[in-house]
Amino acid sequence: MNKVKSIIATAAPVSLSLIALPALCFAASVSYNGATTLSTDTSVDGTSYASSTGSQNALLATGGSSTITNCKISKAGDSSSENADFYGTNAAVLVYNGASLDLNGCTITTSGAHANAVFAYSNGTINISDTKITTSNNNSGGIMVAGGGTINANNLTVSTSGNSSAAIRSDRDGGTLVANDGSYTTSGVGSPAIYSTANITVNDAALTSSASEGVVIEGANSVTLNNSSVTDTNTTLNGNSETYKNIFLYQSMSGDASTGNATFSATESSLTTNKGDTFFVTNTTATINLTNNTILNSVGDFLRIQSGKWGTQGSNGGNVTLNLDNQKVSSGNIVVDKISSLTMSLKNKSVFKGAIDNSNQAKKISLNLSKDSTFVLTADSYVDTLTNAISDNSNIYLNGHMLYVNGTAISGNTDTYTEPTTDTTDTTATDTAQKSSFNPLALILCIAGGILVAGVIAFFVIRKIKKGKKA
């Protein structure tokens, strides 16, 4: 749905009119009201900001570039309006309309319903570092972007305990969010560590959810993890969910996210699933890129692609591209239903140990193997096409099972697969011994002795030459 946004800049409260234009036109007015409003460049240290009024921001930035350090911000007061979720009208901190705000060394708490802690909207930019954020009520995320907002977060400690309260959150029309270092923890139902309708990147951070998914991506949006950890215990099914899972890619059809390819990428990170499947995809196309991660799941499948309660029955499966690059999957099956498809590629010494479509029901599966990658079967598996850089399939260990390609069983390696050994020889002791045997005095004496010997030899040679001349 296209939106025409008209921003009227006046003294607080500030009015924002939103007009949606499909076949019928209607207007919905959104008012912003800040207990404290920053409209021009401001620099403040050691100040407290508070609001206990519903649909009011404790700190609202509508213009300028401001810096707030060593502050305390608290927000009480409930809101039941969607304006709080889409536009941040009940957030503790809201920055919008192109304003920029730097927050350093602060403490931010919210106790109201629909009271997100830090919210960037409508080209607003928030740079926040070394800050502790705590929210305790429902629909109250930690850091959030919507409507094209931007957040750059460094070394935050974020904790949420309400339902539908992701630590890293986004909503309609998304934005960009980058989080470096820190920890992000949730304990509420329907509260993943990350809920993305935006482009979200997390570097060197710890993400933990104790009652929900670890990461959720809706529609044509993305999450990228680098050197980070996701630990998930999805204890309670929420909404339309029928399965427990850690990383969830889907399209809800609510209008909050445009239809398209959902992308999850993880590099040198850890993904730990304590209940359910590691990945679940439904009612969307998706790309999953995994590079040199540690993946732990002893209770569920590695990847499940199937229809659910979202979308139109019969066409609401998933279409997934799975790329493994120097990636080991030690155990876990891949389940694909009759209206879903998978293109799976292994390269750069990747190993997949498990079964692919053991029930032989998938709409289509394509498997691609590089010459240095390995597939170890744990049950009969079925694919429609196989592209293998090794023609004799010696990198496919059948392990007593069969791999069927387009209905025909193929030959493979019948030996027992042995994990490649890594040279972990500790050279520290040798290096230390070599270093400790080095004696500077001995070296000096050795050099001096060499010079003396060379001198003596030279003396006798010269003497002999002189005697020869006299003769």
Side-chain angles (χ1 to χ4, degrees):
M1 182 180 292
N2 295 322
K3 295 180 180 178
V4 177
K5 299 176 182 178
S6 174
I7 299 176
I8 305 174
T10 61
V14 181
S15 178
L16 173 63
S17 294
L18 299 161
I19 303 174
L21 292 174
L24 296 175
C25 297
F26 64 92
S29 179
V30 177
S31 292
Y32 287 128
N33 178 19
T36 299
T37 300
L38 307 176
S39 58
T40 59
D41 294 356
T42 304
S43 182
V44 180
D45 179 69
T47 301
S48 295
Y49 304 92
S51 170
S52 59
T53 302
S55 298
Q56 182 185 64
N57 306 117
L59 180 61
L60 170 65
T62 63
S65 297
S66 299
T67 299
I68 308 294
T69 57
N70 303 312
C71 65
K72 292 184 178 180
I73 303 174
S74 61
K75 176 71 182 83
D78 298 339
S79 174
S80 59
S81 170
E82 284 190 339
N83 291 345
D85 298 327
F86 295 157
Y87 314 118
T89 56
N90 199 45
V93 178
L94 173 66
V95 178
Y96 88 113
N97 197 30
S100 176
L101 176 64
D102 291 358
L103 292 169
N104 305 306
C106 296
T107 299
I108 303 172
T109 60
T110 76
S111 58
H114 295 267
N116 298 286
V118 177
F119 199 121
Y121 180 76
S122 185
N123 298 318
T125 298
I126 299 173
N127 302 305
I128 180 170
S129 61
D130 302 318
T131 292
K132 182 179 180 180
I133 295 173
T134 305
T135 74
S136 57
N137 212 323
N138 295 337
N139 301 97
S140 300
I143 56 177
M144 181 169 181
V145 295
T150 299
I151 290 180
N152 298 303
N154 290 282
N155 195 34
L156 305 187
T157 301
V158 178
S159 176
T160 74
S161 55
N163 297 338
S164 300
S165 300
I168 297 174
R169 192 181 188 196
S170 62
D171 214 310
R172 191 162 292 177
D173 294 333
T176 302
L177 193 155
V178 178
N180 300 309
D181 300 307
S183 64
Y184 298 83
T185 304
T186 68
S187 58
V189 175
S191 300
I194 301 175
Y195 192 102
S196 177
T197 59
N199 296 312
I200 295 175
T201 300
V202 177
N203 305 307
D204 307 301
L207 308 166
T208 305
S209 63
S210 59
S212 179
E213 297 87 0
V215 175
V216 178
I217 305 172
E218 182 178 352
N221 296 291
S222 67
V223 168
T224 300
L225 305 180
N226 296 302
N227 194 35
S228 296
S229 64
V230 178
T231 303
D232 153 80
T233 305
N234 191 183
T235 59
T236 306
L237 294 177
N238 181 51
N240 287 330
S241 290
E242 299 172 285
T243 63
Y244 297 99
K245 61 272 186 191
N246 189 346
I247 315 298
F248 181 28
L249 298 85
Y250 83 123
Q251 171 57 267
S252 73
M253 309 304 293
S254 67
D256 294 342
S258 59
T259 300
N261 191 72
T263 303
F264 176 84
S265 301
T267 301
E268 296 182 350
S269 297
S270 65
L271 309 176
T272 302
T273 305
N274 292 314
K275 187 172 184 178
D277 304 322
T278 301
F279 292 94
F280 180 75
V281 181
T282 186
N283 197 39
T284 191
T285 60
T287 300
I288 300 171
N289 301 309
L290 302 174
T291 304
N292 197 28
N293 303 285
T294 299
I295 300 175
L296 301 175
N297 185 348
S298 60
V299 294
D301 292 315
F302 170 67
L303 170 62
R304 182 179 297 273
I305 313 169
Q306 66 182 40
S307 64
K309 291 186 177 180
W310 296 272
T312 302
Q313 290 298 317
S315 60
N316 61 341
N319 299 301
V320 177
T321 298
L322 172 64
N323 298 313
L324 306 183
D325 183 356
N326 190 28
Q327 179 62 60
K328 179 180 178 181
V329 179
S330 298
S331 63
N333 300 323
I334 294 178
V335 178
V336 186
D337 75 2
K338 64 182 180 181
I339 61 171
S340 300
S341 62
L342 170 68
T343 298
M344 180 177 180
S345 298
L346 286 73
K347 68 177 183 178
N348 193 18
K349 299 181 180 180
S350 291
V351 177
F352 178 78
K353 187 175 182 180
I356 301 175
D357 190 27
N358 174 250
S359 61
N360 190 23
Q361 63 176 347
K363 179 180 178 180
K364 184 178 181 180
I365 296 179
S366 298
L367 177 62
N368 306 298
L369 295 173
S370 67
K371 63 181 180 181
D372 58 354
S373 292
T374 306
F375 175 24
V376 183
L377 281 72
T378 58
D380 289 353
S381 297
Y382 297 83
V383 301
D384 293 279
T385 63
L386 170 66
T387 303
N388 193 351
I390 298 181
S391 59
D392 65 358
N393 299 323
S394 58
N395 56 346
I396 299 177
Y397 287 79
L398 298 176
N399 201 25
H401 307 290
M402 300 300 297
L403 175 61
Y404 296 90
V405 178
N406 197 25
T408 301
I410 67 165
S411 60
N413 198 324
T414 58
D415 294 337
T416 300
Y417 174 71
T418 303
E419 297 279 350
T421 56
T422 302
D423 185 6
T424 57
T425 303
D426 187 358
T427 60
T428 304
T430 303
D431 293 342
T432 302
Q434 290 175 344
K435 290 178 181 178
S436 63
S437 66
F438 172 73
N439 189 323
L441 179 60
L443 177 62
I444 293 172
L445 292 175
C446 183
I447 294 173
I451 293 174
L452 179 61
V453 171
V456 171
I457 294 173
F459 171 78
F460 283 107
V461 170
I462 293 172
R463 185 177 179 183
K464 186 175 181 179
I465 291 174
K466 287 183 178 180
K467 285 183 178 182
K469 288 182 177 180
K470 289 180 179 180

